[in-house]
Amino acid sequence: MLQVLAPSGERLPEPQLDPWLQDLDGADGAAVLAGLYEDMVVIRRIDAEATALQRQGELALWPPLLGQEAAQIGSGRALRQDDFVFSSYRENGVAYCRGVDLSQILRVWRGNASSGWDPFAINMATPQIIIGAQTLHAVGYAMGIQFDGADAAAVAYFGDGATSEGDVNEAMVFAASYQAPAIFFCQNNHWAISEPVSLQSHITLAERAGGFGIPHLRVDGNDVLAVLAATRIALDRARQGGGPSFIEAVTYRMGPHTTADDPTRYRDANELEDWAAKDPIARLERHLEATGVLDDALRQRVADKADEVAAVVRAGVISMPEPEALDVFKHVYAEPNPWLDRQEDHYRRYLDQFDHSGATAGATTEGGRR
Ligand SMILES: Cc1ncc(C[n+]2csc(CCOP(=O)(O)OP(=O)(O)O)c2C)c(N)n1
């Protein structure tokens, strides 16, 4: 597994990745590192705020990313604006990097909308809940990039569990066959809800890609610099016409699968303790302290930014207008659809039975029976 930052924060020589991190040794190096640190702290704070909002009944559900900040920020910050991201539901850190309006990340989880944002405004598709389906979308988009003769890339984010899905394997066949500029970015967070990765694969997930003829890198996913470098390598290959790449970022989901899950029912507490020692933010913090980049002023600036962002997220969620019940029929099809119109009509007539207090309208017979 490739690593640039040890858990102690020490920078290790890494011949394959170091050439892709030269900007860190230049005049702006400290600013780049401080930027990565800020993003990771801010996204952890958004995650904690969203979890609190769910516990307070303001969101129906939330899939925490705690522990996966380096995998998401390191890869997200390597991308160019014209690259296109296809993610699942946990990549809120990547959405933050793409510039999504923060409260829009939470709209779906509040139940206010059936999708989050305009994909073409930020070049990131709305989150996919069907495990692995987004890899096919990414490869299709990547083939479109090829037809256009452009040098962008399509990046599919998915979990370890998704690699066992047919969709992901079919996507890899197509990407390899057409040498599409697609990046398969797998966050191996070790658990597919209660299913451990060890049960799903007897080889590393990165090695699976080798079977399709796709070049692969296995990096420490809690090391933001290793992830940044690996993503730059894959992007460069895609831009040069070198075809797809697979990155396995080895990380850990420190929280539950979603706020509806209780991981203590299937996970050993010692495992969590081991991974807490490899925390991605603490590791970068140690590095920045040792190199003199992290001082009290930077710490304060980042803490203030996190507070500010958390306040925006909270205010945005709480003030979201409630959707109309019939809005559920909007945006299902681009063209009029008689079957949907019929369903909408039935639902409207059903809703018409109720008055504003929620009681059933219409006369009741004696004794309250109809
Ligand atoms: C096709 C499909 N099968 C099953 C599910 C139910 N499901 C939701 S999340 C999940 C586990 C996914 O694990 P992984 O791919 O490792 O991603 P992670 O949640 O760890 O980020 C499953 C099986 C689903 N959403 N889609």
Side-chain angles (χ1 to χ4, degrees), residues 310-334:
V312 170
V313 165
R314 173 167 287 271
V317 166
I318 290 171
S319 64
M320 246 173 232
E322 292 293 320
E324 294 295 325
L326 288 170
D327 284 357
V328 73
F329 294 97
K330 284 185 181 166
H331 313 302
V332 177
Y333 290 104

Side-chain angles (χ1 to χ4, degrees), residues 58-63 89 92 105-111 129:
E58 298 290 350
L59 299 180
L61 189 72
W62 178 250
Y89 41 78
N92 300 300
I105 296 185
L106 304 179
R107 284 202 309 163
V108 172
W109 303 107
R110 189 169 168 86
I129 307 286

Side-chain angles (χ1 to χ4, degrees), residues 89-90 129-131 159-162 165 189 191-193 253 257:
Y89 41 78
R90 206 182 296 285
I129 307 286
I130 302 167
I131 301 301
D160 42 282
E165 286 283 347
N189 68 7
W191 290 91
I193 315 186
R253 158 165 68 74
H257 172 72

Side-chain angles (χ1 to χ4, degrees), residues 329 333 336-346:
F329 294 97
Y333 290 104
N337 180 296
W339 288 103
L340 195 69
D341 292 346
R342 192 158 162 260
Q343 282 182 47
E344 182 173 351
D345 183 51
H346 283 178

Side-chain angles (χ1 to χ4, degrees), residues 203-224:
I203 57 169
T204 67
L205 301 179
E207 281 173 306
R208 281 184 167 179
F212 296 90
I214 297 180
H216 45 95
L217 287 170
R218 186 169 200 254
V219 295
D220 184 332
N222 283 10
D223 170 354
V224 69

Side-chain angles (χ1 to χ4, degrees), residues 52-92:
L53 282 162
Q54 195 282 330
R55 295 301 186 218
Q56 291 159 2
E58 298 290 350
L59 299 180
L61 189 72
W62 178 250
L65 60 79
L66 182 68
Q68 300 181 219
E69 294 87 354
Q72 298 198 12
I73 300 298
S75 57
R77 284 295 175 218
L79 305 180
R80 235 169 40 193
Q81 199 49 48
D82 60 342
D83 298 323
F84 209 106
V85 171
F86 296 82
S87 79
S88 80
Y89 41 78
R90 206 182 296 285
E91 282 77 37
N92 300 300

Side-chain angles (χ1 to χ4, degrees), residues 31-365:
V32 176
L33 286 166
L36 294 170
Y37 172 67
E38 176 185 305
D39 286 348
M40 287 166 66
V41 170
V42 167
I43 192 62
R44 180 169 288 190
R45 182 60 189 276
I46 293 173
D47 200 53
E49 198 70 19
T51 301
L53 282 162
Q54 195 282 330
R55 295 301 186 218
Q56 291 159 2
E58 298 290 350
L59 299 180
L61 189 72
W62 178 250
L65 60 79
L66 182 68
Q68 300 181 219
E69 294 87 354
Q72 298 198 12
I73 300 298
S75 57
R77 284 295 175 218
L79 305 180
R80 235 169 40 193
Q81 199 49 48
D82 60 342
D83 298 323
F84 209 106
V85 171
F86 296 82
S87 79
S88 80
Y89 41 78
R90 206 182 296 285
E91 282 77 37
N92 300 300
V94 181
Y96 176 70
C97 292
R98 300 308 279 166
V100 66
D101 179 317
L102 292 171
S103 54
Q104 289 196 352
I105 296 185
L106 304 179
R107 284 202 309 163
V108 172
W109 303 107
R110 189 169 168 86
N112 274 46
S114 39
S115 72
W117 53 78
D118 173 0
F120 299 103
I122 58 166
N123 277 1
M124 176 167 179
T126 51
Q128 179 58 255
I129 307 286
I130 302 167
I131 301 301
Q134 72 277 15
T135 56
L136 290 165
H137 309 158
V139 174
Y141 189 95
M143 290 166 68
I145 293 173
Q146 272 179 321
F147 289 131
D148 289 347
D151 72 345
V155 189
Y157 283 87
F158 51 94
D160 42 282
T163 61
S164 301
E165 286 283 347
D167 281 4
V168 177
N169 292 272
E170 288 163 19
M172 287 200 272
V173 170
F174 262 82
S177 300
Y178 289 92
Q179 287 294 287
I183 298 175
F184 294 89
F185 192 95
C186 175
Q187 288 176 83
N188 175 0
N189 68 7
H190 284 81
W191 290 91
I193 315 186
S194 54
E195 196 80 347
V197 67
S198 54
L199 206 72
Q200 298 191 49
S201 186
H202 292 265
I203 57 169
T204 67
L205 301 179
E207 281 173 306
R208 281 184 167 179
F212 296 90
I214 297 180
H216 45 95
L217 287 170
R218 186 169 200 254
V219 295
D220 184 332
N222 283 10
D223 170 354
V224 69
L225 300 187
V227 175
L228 179 69
T231 313
R232 285 175 171 173
I233 291 173
L235 283 166
D236 184 63
R237 177 177 298 128
R239 300 198 201 297
Q240 309 281 341
S245 304
F246 187 106
I247 297 170
E248 179 186 356
V250 181
T251 180
Y252 193 72
R253 158 165 68 74
M254 293 176 76
H257 172 72
T258 66
T259 44
D261 171 46
D262 174 8
T264 61
R265 293 178 60 184
Y266 55 83
R267 207 163 71 172
D268 188 347
N270 294 331
E271 186 181 290
L272 182 59
E273 215 175 287
D274 287 350
W275 279 94
K278 299 184 232 174
D279 183 292
I281 297 185
R283 180 182 310 198
L284 184 58
E285 235 165 22
R286 286 184 205 112
H287 178 67
L288 296 181
E289 279 164 1
T291 51
V293 176
L294 187 58
D295 55 13
D296 287 347
L298 177 61
R299 217 183 276 277
Q300 191 58 49
R301 181 164 65 73
V302 169
D304 289 348
K305 171 81 188 244
D307 283 348
E308 188 190 306
V309 168
V312 170
V313 165
R314 173 167 287 271
V317 166
I318 290 171
S319 64
M320 246 173 232
E322 292 293 320
E324 294 295 325
L326 288 170
D327 284 357
V328 73
F329 294 97
K330 284 185 181 166
H331 313 302
V332 177
Y333 290 104
E335 305 288 330
N337 180 296
W339 288 103
L340 195 69
D341 292 346
R342 192 158 162 260
Q343 282 182 47
E344 182 173 351
D345 183 51
H346 283 178
Y347 192 44
R348 179 182 294 108
R349 284 190 280 124
Y350 169 74
L351 292 174
D352 284 348
Q353 295 179 85
F354 300 92
D355 66 21
H356 291 300
S357 66
T360 307
T364 53
T365 58

